[in-house]
Amino acid sequence: MNNGKRLAALLLVLALGASLVGCGAAAEAPLEAPTGRLFTDSLGRTVELPAHIERVIPSGNMAMFFIYPLAADKLAALADPLSDEALSYLGEGLASLPVVGNLYKTGTQMNVEELANIRADVFIDYGEAKANLGADLDALQALLGIPCVFISGSLESAGESYRMLGELLESPAEAERAAAYIETLVAETKRTFETVEKKTAVILNGTDGLGCVAAGSFQDEIWAFMLRNAAVVDDAQMYKSTSIDPEQLANWDPAYLFFYNSPDPETIIDGGIWGELSAVKNGRVFAVPTGPWGYSYPPSVNRYLAVLWLSEVMYPGEFPWDARALTKEYYDIFYRYALSDAEYETLFFG
């Protein structure tokens, strides 16, 4: 997110906070947190936490996905409404939670008026540290009267992120299980690519398939980990899709095409220049699975499913693991869901 949007989000927080105080909706003094324990977040900010955390507000979808495995029963709000597909994995109980949006606008803008009405113990942001994030969290903390913390996390460092979250939520055993899973998967993947050459692909979205994940962008992290992204673009968008034209796609002519947040790829690649692409000619066109949410986007812990899925569709037999068993284990750890063999086949192979 650029600084202009970040500042707009913060100004909205402060403006709504002022209006709430002015009209008396938040005139009461902030709730006093019970004397508890100190916690130092990834920005080096030290905050006082309640002795026990029972209710958690995520800063957005990325944070919600990250928090869910350790604190599904402690979530006090959702960033965005959950689809029926997501609820079929996560349980209908989440559907009744208030929807407060995203602090940094990757979906619905955060509704601070709604946020101020929720009794919670902590507000958690997760992912990449935005510019001036510490000041933003300090302002929000003053407004809400609850500790607001940031836990950094990338594709390769999320194991340590879970250990930090486990300390915060007093769930060290569950956090260690998630951390060990992530670190083993990352290590085995890197070891495999010491001897296996990465294949080329372009990752597309949009109703016409002409938005792409540009090489080097924020969304490219998972793709760069598993393949060579041919979409090298001069005017790349770092936090959203980059628009391209059919000629650019033809020049790249990748071996694989992946579509996410798009209609059925078959409806997009029917006709025009699409039929001349090597990926289309060779039947290497895939829709990124979803369930409970997309395997590649939003870029949170769901991306480890993308690692397993891509190992099967791009590099069958090259990775030293049983993808089916690891996928079932993932659903158990991160979604508390017992995935069946039939569901695995449908998710990975249609």
Side-chain angles (χ1 to χ4, degrees):
M1 181 179 194
N2 62 37
N3 286 339
K5 289 184 178 179
R6 184 199 63 77
L7 289 172
L10 179 56
L11 287 173
L12 179 63
V13 168
L14 296 176
L16 283 174
S19 69
L20 285 173
V21 173
C23 69
E28 296 181 4
L31 295 173
E32 290 291 336
T35 302
R37 52 205 168 93
L38 297 180
F39 177 82
T40 302
D41 72 4
S42 297
L43 297 173
R45 299 165 58 255
T46 298
V47 300
E48 184 178 13
L49 298 173
H52 300 290
I53 291 174
E54 301 298 336
R55 289 171 60 79
V56 176
I57 297 174
S59 68
N61 286 316
M62 284 180 61
M64 184 178 72
F65 298 173
F66 170 67
I67 294 165
Y68 182 87
L70 302 193
D73 56 341
K74 296 181 179 181
L75 284 171
L78 302 175
D80 286 310
L82 296 178
S83 67
D84 290 342
E85 178 186 37
L87 291 172
S88 70
Y89 289 94
L90 306 176
E92 293 292 335
L94 292 179
S96 62
L97 294 178
V99 175
V100 297
N102 294 259
L103 179 61
Y104 293 97
K105 193 173 181 181
T106 55
T108 305
Q109 180 67 60
M110 181 159 279
N111 184 332
V112 183
E113 183 173 5
E114 180 74 25
L115 196 65
N117 290 327
I118 298 172
R119 295 177 64 89
D121 299 312
V122 66
F123 177 96
I124 300 175
D125 185 33
Y126 167 76
E128 178 191 46
K130 314 294 190 298
N132 298 317
L133 175 60
D136 289 3
L137 292 178
D138 287 345
L140 190 61
Q141 185 167 289
L143 175 65
L144 299 179
I146 62 173
C148 298
V149 304
F150 170 70
I151 298 178
S152 66
S154 66
L155 184 72
E156 296 188 34
S157 70
E160 281 304 309
S161 305
Y162 265 111
R163 293 186 179 97
M164 182 177 284
L165 184 65
E167 175 192 347
L168 191 157
L169 297 176
E170 298 178 288
S171 303
E174 294 88 343
E176 184 57 38
R177 187 182 180 206
Y181 182 98
I182 288 169
E183 290 171 347
T184 299
L185 196 72
V186 167
E188 290 292 346
T189 301
K190 294 172 75 171
R191 189 175 299 114
T192 297
F193 283 127
E194 290 175 359
T195 56
V196 173
E197 183 178 358
K198 291 183 178 180
K199 299 177 182 178
T200 62
V202 170
I203 303 91
L204 302 169
N205 72 358
T207 56
D208 60 0
L210 293 177
C212 80
V213 172
S217 67
F218 180 61
Q219 293 183 34
D220 186 44
E221 186 182 23
I222 177 59
W223 301 103
F225 191 61
M226 294 298 294
L227 51 83
R228 289 189 293 117
N229 187 349
V232 178
V233 185
D234 290 336
D235 56 347
Q237 299 294 310
M238 293 305 294
Y239 294 98
K240 62 180 182 179
S241 299
T242 298
S243 296
I244 58 173
D245 56 48
E247 288 71 28
Q248 283 177 298
L249 191 56
N251 287 336
W252 293 328
D253 194 24
Y256 290 79
L257 285 177
F258 295 102
F259 289 82
Y260 76 100
N261 289 355
S262 296
D264 181 353
E266 294 300 323
T267 67
I268 295 176
I269 65 174
D270 183 19
I273 199 170
W274 296 97
E276 301 303 315
L277 300 176
S278 296
V280 175
K281 289 179 179 177
N282 295 321
R284 293 172 177 168
V285 178
F286 300 91
V288 179
T290 61
W293 28 67
Y295 282 14
S296 66
Y297 185 84
S300 189
V301 294
N302 45 318
R303 295 179 296 175
Y304 302 104
L305 284 172
V307 171
L308 294 168
W309 175 64
L310 289 169
S311 76
E312 290 292 276
V313 301
M314 295 187 79
Y315 310 99
E318 300 283 4
F319 280 74
W321 58 44
D322 181 338
R324 181 189 301 266
L326 283 177
T327 302
K328 287 184 173 185
E329 184 181 0
Y330 181 97
Y331 271 83
D332 178 47
I333 295 173
F334 293 90
Y335 301 143
R336 307 183 182 188
Y337 184 83
L339 190 75
S340 70
D341 286 333
E343 288 171 321
Y344 168 80
E345 292 292 335
T346 299
L347 285 168
F348 271 40
F349 306 112

